[in-house]
Amino acid sequence: MKDEISRVLTLVEEGKLDKEKATELINVLQGKEPTVELKKEASSYGSKMLKIRVNSHEGDNVNVNLPINLVKAVLKVGTSIAERIPQAEKYVKDINVDLLIEAIENELDGQIVDVTSANGDKVFVVIE
């Protein structure tokens, strides 16, 4: 965790990240509650969850639930950090983060991804 916080501080020093976003990300990294300011912004949409479901034909299942406000904060800050980590760069280079943030800011709701592979694996991403 210290390495991640150090990277956030470096981005602030380089002028690539403002203090408010850095504070928000560091609080998330440390597992602290969002600031009062964030709670004021939280609407009913802000209390929604991004739910990711992966069901393999072999019976392996993955269920992930993320608060939409956390997703938004991490997308805004975390992607720029991940792009600078050689091992993570290949995983984030083709992700259109601006499109995802725009969807969240426009309060997109419901199923946003529904994929079924040829071998029967299924991936669903829903905001509810």
Side-chain angles (χ1 to χ4, degrees):
M1 178 174 36
K2 289 182 181 181
D3 290 337
E4 289 87 358
I5 292 172
S6 177
R7 288 186 190 119
V8 171
L9 295 174
T10 300
L11 291 172
V12 172
E13 288 174 359
E14 294 172 352
K16 296 178 181 175
L17 189 63
D18 65 37
K19 292 177 188 177
E20 291 78 23
K21 295 293 180 194
T23 301
E24 187 177 323
L25 184 59
I26 289 171
N27 285 339
V28 169
L29 289 170
Q30 292 177 334
K32 293 182 180 175
E33 290 295 315
T35 63
V36 174
E37 195 174 308
L38 286 178
K39 288 183 181 178
K40 285 181 187 174
E41 288 180 14
S43 65
S44 60
Y45 186 78
S47 64
K48 292 188 181 264
M49 301 289 278
L50 176 75
K51 298 181 177 185
I52 303 168
R53 304 289 182 256
V54 180
N55 301 317
S56 78
H57 73 285
E58 296 174 353
D60 298 322
N61 299 316
V62 176
N63 296 314
V64 178
N65 297 324
L66 300 169
I68 201 73
N69 284 336
L70 174 63
V71 172
K72 187 175 177 181
V74 170
L75 282 173
K76 285 184 174 181
V77 181
T79 305
S80 63
I81 293 171
E83 288 172 344
R84 289 168 179 75
I85 302 170
Q87 297 85 355
E89 180 184 14
K90 63 184 175 186
Y91 298 109
V92 297
K93 70 178 180 176
D94 295 327
I95 297 173
N96 187 342
V97 175
D98 293 331
L99 183 63
L100 294 171
I101 291 172
E102 183 180 335
I104 291 170
E105 287 176 347
N106 289 317
E107 298 188 358
L108 180 68
D109 203 357
Q111 189 164 327
I112 56 176
V113 174
D114 180 359
V115 178
T116 302
S117 71
N119 67 354
D121 295 337
K122 297 181 180 189
V123 177
F124 303 97
V125 179
V126 179
I127 297 175
E128 56 183 24

